[in-house]
Each structure stands twice: as C-alpha cells, then as structure tokens.
C-alpha cells in the first residue's frame, strides 16, 4: 500500500477512513458478541475456554477500533462518540459489519463455519493492514494478526475434525458451510470507502484479499473432505448489504439484547 | 471408582508412613499410598469444587451478552473463561486420584455429586455480577486460601493458581459495585438490592455450623481442611463489614456489631432451613442449572464423537502410511 495515489482530497480520505475503521470495529464487535453467547454452552470445557478466548480477543480489537473510529469522526464533526456510544447507542441500520458475523450459532458446526470463513478473511486483512499508512490501524493490525492466526487455526482444526469425523458431523459441517457461504461475497466487495482508503494506503482493497482466502479455504475443505458450496451470494435490496447497514433479521435481536441495559440508564457510568 | 488400597502385609507400614507424613504436615502425592477414606474425601471435595466452577459459569455467563459497557463485558468474559480454566485444573487434580472427568461429569449430571449451592440463586440484575464478585468470590477465597496448604499436593497446587485469579475477580466485583453505589439512584438501588440478596447465601457458602458439619472433623485431621466452617465464616464477615462501609452499602443483617471482647464482628444466623432446602434441590435455580449443564453436554455429544472418530481415522492413516 503506497501513498495517496489518486490524490483524493484529504477530507474525503478522512471521511472514508472513519467509515472504514468503524466497519472493522463492527465486524469484531458483532463476531465477539455472537461467540460470547456460547459461554457455558460449549461441547466440552476446553471449548468453553477457547471460544471465550477468541471472543475476548475480538472484543479487544473492537474496543480499540471503535474508540479510534469515534475520534476520527470527532475530527470531522466536532462531536465525540466513545466506544460505548458506538456499541450501545446505534441502531441496526447504523451498524456496518458484514452480515456473516451476525449469523446465529445454530449448532457448533455453524459457529465453526462462521469463524472459519471470517477469521480466514481477517487474517488476510490484518496481514495487509500491518503496512497501513495510518499508524493506529497498523498498530491494531500488528497485534490482531497474531490473534486471528490462532482463531483461524482453531476453526480450521474443528472444520477438519467435523468434516472428517462421523457421518452426522460431516453433514452438519456441510450444511453450516452452505448456510454461511452466501454471506462471504460482501467481505471482498469493494465500494467507495474501500477504494478511497486503499488508494490512500490506509486500508486494503478487499478484492485483493480474496485469492489468499480462497486458497486457504480450499485447503481446509480438501482436508476435511468437504466441497465448496455452490449456493448463490445473498445480496440485499438494490445490492445493499451489511456495509451499508442492511442486515439480516438476526442483528436486531443481537443488538436488543446487547444494548438494553445501557440504554435503560441514559448517561450512567458503569 | 477408587483404587482399593492394597491389603498386603505392607499395608500396615503404609498406613504408618501416611500418618507420619500427615503428622509432619507433608504433602501426599498421587504415587503415595493413601487410605481409601482420604482418597474418597478428596475426590468428593475436588469434584464438588470443579462442578462449582463450571456451574458457576452460568449465573455470570447470563450477563455477558447484556453487560452495559464494553469494558465490563471484557472483564466478565475473562472471568467466566477463568472459571472454565479452574474447572479444567480441578478435574485434572481429581484425575490424579484415579477417576476420570467423564465419570465425574456423569455423577454431576445424574445429581449424585454436588456443586456449591450458591449457584442455585438467580442473577436478576447487572449488579448481581458485582455482588457475586465481591461476596461470592470473596467467600470462596476465604475458603480456598487455606486449601493452598492442603495435604494433597495436586489439589494444593491447583488452589494456588486459582486463588490468584479469584482475588482478581473479587477486586473487579468490588470495583463494579463501587461504581454502581456512586452512580445514579437506579444504579445505587440495584447495587443495594443485589447485596441484600447475596449476603446470606454467601455466609452459607462456608457450610453448616461446626456442630452439624458431617465431614469437618476427619478432614481437619487429614490436613485437608485447616479451619472450621464457623472460623472461616467469622473471618469473612470481619473482612466484608468494613468493605461494605467503603462501598457505602449496607449488609442486611441487623446483628452486625463490633465485639471488642472477641475482637470480631458479631453477626446474625443464616436461615439454615433455607440452606437445607436449596441443598435438597429446592432452590430457585437447581433444576435450571443442572438442565443447562445436561443440555450443553448432550448438544456437544456429536461434536466430541466427531473429534474421537477423526482422531481414530487419522491414527489409522498414520499407521497405514508407516506400514506402506
């Protein structure tokens, strides 16, 4: 990633950077919230530890990113929103996470599939972002890359165990991949925000992350004896998706649960 | 479930050696001969402790998704993760006595082994998370610190690690309540209500009064237990009374008063009928906690089976690869 090649005005780059960092933060926050639902529900004690550990890493990433997104926004608007303002006081349409991370934990295979597809993407992303021209983004990426490498490895091992386990586990894993697969496309779809930040050397071109992800996922599927699903990508109305705040119906419930206490006590400190 | 002690001619010497080690306050290790009663007592106690850790994940896990700030959410996830970790070390400590984690989980699921009754109370508001950290973890630490000197080595060593983490949890719980107690009127009321509901059950965590404690005397003789239930309960009350004052919250016990003669706080008598009732299964959440555990275990059966099947396939492929 090199400098501001297309010479976009700085104000445009700043606006896009704030939006981009918010997306990264929302992905991490919602992925963490989904995993955290599984506390004391793992198939064995080791998984209770591992899933909580991953949820905690993602929450740590989310907090730094949301805090930074709030400060970038403040420079543009003069109004500061803290990490908690952003997490608890926005509605569904204002969240810009990819829809993949909000998909429910239907069974353990769905959790594994979602984590495999997402952390495969996150590792490509944070590897690229280590070279970001934005020091804070590069700093987050430097730490996150080690964490998501473990998340990806954890998910890949389970995908292989389930795919190459029993008949039941293989069927469940295949079904879970089918269910999650249609939401992977938007991880790699460029738009105005990603084009601007990529040109400025701040962000990564999502399309550029795809070959590495494809190769990794194909390798895991081959080892697991699973096939790449052929299900079509799900687009929102007018091609809008999570990045534009157009989500699945699942997100509203997730946010209702996550936000209600915070919202019941306006202005309180916790 | 337990390994029978050898009845061979050397058994008498072995008993003498064991008694000598206990008298000298030495550590018994898994390879050492030990009386069946000692082994059974430890298995029962360590298993109950392990079960308490994993059942204890539920009342607090109940608030992870709703924690009102991201910082508190992170603290709570880390705490529940630590409890799962404690469960792991404790089941491992029990395994050194010749019983497997699977057997112990089956006994828990069948209701044949217990977990701490405190977890049969519900966590009704966010403040309960703070009250549990302060009072329940506080009581647990008071109970557990002496166990770091327990005569059975693997249990004592597990407790050293656990106590460090528990004291961190206790401070976080206190900190959370402190913020609530100085917050809005609603937050303050929430904090007081939580303390009102958790105070008496936390006193019950030390077990029945000494006169009625079934296992105490023998456990003290074996250096498993170092202090009696009533001694530990007194120690706990002496710690929390000034802490409650620092929080600006009141303990729901009109009998609390400094007794200069004893050098301790006097305090009221818990409702031991309620204690017995909860112990027998009549607490607000006994059924719910056990059903949750059984469901998580049953839902995970196909996953554990898949992991075993995959490991077997992999081993078979490795063997075939070596043979070729």
């Amino acid at each position: 990633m090199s400098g501001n090649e297309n010479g976009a005005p700085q104000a445009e780059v700043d606006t896009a950077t704030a939006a981009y960092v918010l997306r990264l933060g929302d992905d991490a926050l919602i992925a963490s919230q989904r995993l955290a639902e599984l506390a004391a529900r793992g198939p064995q004690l080791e998984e209770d530890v591992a899933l909580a550990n991953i949820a905690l890493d993602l929450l740590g990433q989310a907090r730094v990113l949301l805090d930074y997104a709030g400060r970038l926004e403040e420079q543009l608007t003069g109004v500061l929103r803290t990490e908690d303002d952003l997490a608890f006081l926005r509605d569904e349409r204002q969240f810009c996470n990819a829809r993949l991370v909000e998909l429910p934990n239907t069974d353990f295979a769905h959790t594994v599939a979602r984590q495999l597809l997402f952390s495969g993407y996150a590792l490509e992303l944070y590897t690229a972002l280590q070279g970001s021209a934005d020091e804070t983004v590069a700093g987050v990426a430097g730490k996150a890359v080690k964490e998501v490498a473990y998340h990806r490895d954890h998910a890949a091992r389970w995908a292989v165990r389930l795919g190459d386990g029993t008949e039941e586990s293989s069927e469940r894993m295949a079904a879970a991949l089918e269910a999650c697969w249609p939401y992977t496309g938007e991880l790699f779809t460029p738009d105005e925000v990603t084009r601007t930040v990529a040109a400025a050397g701040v962000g990564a071109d999502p399309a550029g992350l795809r070959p590495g992800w494809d190769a990794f996922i194909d390798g895991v599927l081959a080892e697991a004896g699973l096939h790449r699903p052929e299900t079509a990508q799900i687009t929102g109305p007018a091609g809008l998706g999570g990045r534009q705040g157009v989500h699945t119906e699942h997100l509203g419930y997730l946010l209702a649960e996550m936000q209600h206490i915070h919202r019941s006590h306006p202005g309180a400190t916790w | 479930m337990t390994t029978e002690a050898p009845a061979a001619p050397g058994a008498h010497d072995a008993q003498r050696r064991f008694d000598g080690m206990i008298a000298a306050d030495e550590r018994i290790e898994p390879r050492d001969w030990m009386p069946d009663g000692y082994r059974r007592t430890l298995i029962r106690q360590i298993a109950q402790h392990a079960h308490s850790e994993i059942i204890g994940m539920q009342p607090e896990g109940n608030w992870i998704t709703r924690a009102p700030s991201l910082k508190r959410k992170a603290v709570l996830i880390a705490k529940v993760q630590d409890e799962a970790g404690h469960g792991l070390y404790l089941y491992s400590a029990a395994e050194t006595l010749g019983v497997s984690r699977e057997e112990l989980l089956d006994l828990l699921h069948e209701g044949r082994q217990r977990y701490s009754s405190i977890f049969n109370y519900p966590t009704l508001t966010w403040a309960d998370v703070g009250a549990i950290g302060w009072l329940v973890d506080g009581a647990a630490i008071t109970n557990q610190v002496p166990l770091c000197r327990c005569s059975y080595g693997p249990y004592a060593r597990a407790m050293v690690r656990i106590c460090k983490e528990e004291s961190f949890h206790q401070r976080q719980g206190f900190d959370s309540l402190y913020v609530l107690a100085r917050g809005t009127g609603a937050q303050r009321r929430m904090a007081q209500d939580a303390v009102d509901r958790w105070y008496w059950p936390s006193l019950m965590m030390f077990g029945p009064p000494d006169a009625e404690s079934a296992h105490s005397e023998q456990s003290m003789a074996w250096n498993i237990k170092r202090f009696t239930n009533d001694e530990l309960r007194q120690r706990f009350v002496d710690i929390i009374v000034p802490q409650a004052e620092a929080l600006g919250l009141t303990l729901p016990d009109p009998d609390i008063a400094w007794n200069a003669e004893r050098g301790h706080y006097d305090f009221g008598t818990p409702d031991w009928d309620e204690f017995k009732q909860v112990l027998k299964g009549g607490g607000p959440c006994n059924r719910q906690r056990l059903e949750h555990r059984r469901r998580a275990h049953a839902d995970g059966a196909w996953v554990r089976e898949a992991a075993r099947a995959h490991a077997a396939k992999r081993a078979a492929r490795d063997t075939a690869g070596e043979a070729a």
Side-chain angles (χ1 to χ4, degrees):
Chain A
M1 285 180 294
S2 54
N4 192 347
E5 284 160 12
N6 68 354
Q10 195 56 42
E12 212 171 283
V13 173
D14 291 345
T15 305
T17 302
Y20 185 69
V21 173
L22 188 61
R23 289 178 183 186
L24 301 181
D26 282 351
D27 278 354
L29 177 65
I30 303 302
S32 170
Q33 177 76 6
R34 268 296 180 235
L35 280 178
E37 284 173 7
L38 295 171
R41 290 186 167 81
Q44 57 193 27
L45 212 38
E46 286 81 354
E47 280 315 292
D48 279 321
V49 175
L51 296 175
N53 190 16
I54 296 169
L56 206 49
D57 284 344
L58 289 167
L59 183 54
Q61 294 167 14
R63 293 185 62 196
V64 179
L65 288 162
L66 292 178
D67 173 76
Y68 187 45
R71 288 188 287 117
L72 289 170
E73 187 186 75
E74 184 190 17
Q75 287 168 15
L76 299 167
T77 63
V79 181
L80 176 68
R81 288 197 286 179
T82 64
E83 59 176 50
D84 284 345
D85 293 339
L86 288 169
F88 296 103
L89 300 177
R90 281 182 300 154
D91 291 328
E92 241 182 298
R93 290 284 280 112
Q94 295 158 326
F95 271 81
C96 46
N97 58 282
R99 289 168 295 173
L100 175 66
V101 295
E102 72 206 35
L103 298 180
N105 299 304
T106 310
D107 67 4
F108 186 68
H110 281 72
T111 303
V112 168
R114 191 184 66 227
Q115 282 302 113
L116 176 74
L117 300 172
F118 175 66
S119 53
Y121 155 80
L123 184 58
E124 299 296 327
L125 174 70
Y126 285 120
T127 302
L129 291 182
Q130 288 181 101
S132 171
D134 182 302
E135 276 178 27
T136 307
V137 171
V140 171
K143 182 164 184 282
V145 81
K146 298 185 196 92
E147 295 168 346
V148 297
Y150 160 69
H151 306 171
R152 191 182 84 156
D153 183 58
H154 177 263
R157 283 167 189 262
W158 272 112
V160 170
R161 284 187 200 112
L162 298 183
D164 183 42
T166 62
E167 199 180 325
E168 179 184 4
S169 69
S170 179
E171 280 168 12
R172 282 178 184 260
M173 193 61 220
L177 277 170
E178 293 261 342
C180 295
W181 196 264
Y183 297 96
T184 51
E186 80 178 346
L187 297 172
F188 305 105
T189 308
D191 66 2
E192 208 40 50
V193 168
T194 61
R195 274 189 283 272
T196 306
V197 293
V202 168
D205 169 18
L209 307 174
R210 178 114 208 183
W213 182 84
D214 274 333
F216 170 74
I217 296 293
D218 286 344
V220 174
L221 295 182
E223 199 185 339
L226 295 163
H227 301 290
R228 184 179 263 257
E230 287 170 13
T231 30
Q233 292 297 311
I234 293 174
T235 51
L240 301 176
R243 300 302 185 203
Q244 294 78 36
V246 176
H247 292 276
T248 66
E249 289 181 349
H250 304 298
L251 185 66
Y253 291 91
L254 180 150
L255 294 180
E257 186 172 340
M258 182 172 86
Q259 296 179 335
H260 98 267
I261 298 178
H262 185 96
R263 290 192 181 211
S264 300
H265 299 267
T269 306
W270 301 96
Chain B
M1 196 173 75
T2 58
T3 314
E4 285 302 313
H12 190 65
D13 291 344
Q15 176 76 52
R16 221 171 22 216
R17 185 167 172 275
F18 173 87
D19 293 342
M21 287 173 79
I22 294 292
D25 203 4
E26 287 172 21
R27 290 273 199 272
I28 307 297
E29 293 298 333
R31 63 178 180 279
D32 294 326
W33 182 91
M34 61 190 85
D36 281 346
Y38 179 82
R39 188 184 297 274
R40 271 197 305 275
T41 298
L42 278 166
I43 289 175
R44 193 193 64 243
Q45 182 169 339
I46 299 173
Q48 175 167 333
H49 194 162
H51 299 332
S52 301
E53 295 284 355
I54 67 167
I55 295 282
M57 293 165 71
Q58 291 178 40
E60 294 181 274
N62 184 34
W63 286 93
I64 286 177
T65 56
R66 294 175 289 169
S69 76
L70 296 185
K71 178 186 148 193
R72 295 287 174 204
K73 189 191 290 285
V75 166
L76 188 54
I77 294 173
K79 181 178 181 192
V80 173
Q81 182 191 21
D82 282 347
E83 283 159 2
H86 298 172
L88 280 173
Y89 328 143
L90 287 164
Y91 286 118
S92 298
E95 285 184 331
T96 64
L97 293 160
V99 57
S100 71
R101 194 207 306 182
E102 287 67 31
E103 287 174 85
L104 295 176
L105 285 175
D106 287 344
L107 291 169
L108 169 67
H109 297 155
E110 290 159 13
R112 291 166 57 204
Q113 278 185 342
R114 285 184 170 143
Y115 54 88
S116 179
S117 261
I118 191 86
F119 300 121
N120 291 318
Y121 290 88
T123 50
L124 299 177
T125 72
W126 167 252
D128 288 35
V129 172
I132 288 186
W134 175 44
L135 293 173
V136 176
D137 289 278
I141 294 164
T142 308
N143 253 330
Q144 290 168 6
V145 164
L147 288 173
C148 298
R149 294 190 293 120
C150 154
S151 60
Y152 188 58
Y155 190 30
R157 287 189 289 274
M159 291 319 304
V160 170
R161 197 164 157 190
I162 289 173
C163 282
K164 274 188 201 150
E165 293 177 353
E166 297 282 7
S167 65
F168 189 57
H169 298 162
Q170 200 259 352
R171 278 203 300 279
Q172 288 168 331
F174 182 87
D175 176 68
S176 171
L177 274 186
Y178 190 89
V179 170
L180 292 178
R182 276 154 189 73
T184 64
Q187 285 177 305
R188 199 188 148 68
R189 284 191 295 278
M190 194 194 284
Q192 184 61 57
D193 168 61
V195 169
D196 289 348
R197 284 182 288 107
W198 288 95
Y199 169 74
W200 290 111
S202 70
L203 292 194
M204 296 178 196
M205 284 176 71
F206 298 92
D210 293 348
E212 295 164 33
S213 179
H215 305 294
S216 279
E217 208 174 318
Q218 180 61 72
S219 287
M220 301 265 296
W222 275 329
N223 293 344
I224 295 173
K225 215 173 148 72
R226 299 282 181 171
F227 300 97
T228 70
N229 295 353
D230 288 332
E231 284 168 347
L232 291 167
R233 196 171 1 256
Q234 178 69 62
R235 183 176 295 185
F236 175 65
V237 170
D238 288 346
I239 292 169
I240 62 169
V241 171
Q243 288 180 343
E245 283 166 17
L247 284 170
L249 297 171
T250 52
L251 295 171
D253 183 347
D255 294 329
I256 288 179
W258 177 250
N259 183 326
E261 207 171 299
R262 294 199 305 121
H264 292 290
Y265 285 96
D266 291 337
F267 58 99
T269 306
D271 180 348
W272 293 114
D273 289 338
E274 177 182 312
F275 176 74
K276 283 174 201 149
Q277 168 94 357
V278 177
L279 208 59
K280 274 193 301 194
C285 298
N286 298 59
R287 182 175 289 273
Q288 178 189 334
R289 299 289 184 241
L290 212 49
E291 270 175 12
H292 177 122
R293 242 330 291 172
R294 288 194 197 112
R295 195 179 334 115
H297 193 72
D299 287 350
W302 69 269
V303 177
R304 297 188 300 274
E305 197 189 333
R308 281 192 296 273
H310 174 70
K313 282 186 194 177
R314 182 163 259 190
R317 281 197 293 265
D318 288 350
T319 311
E322 279 165 24

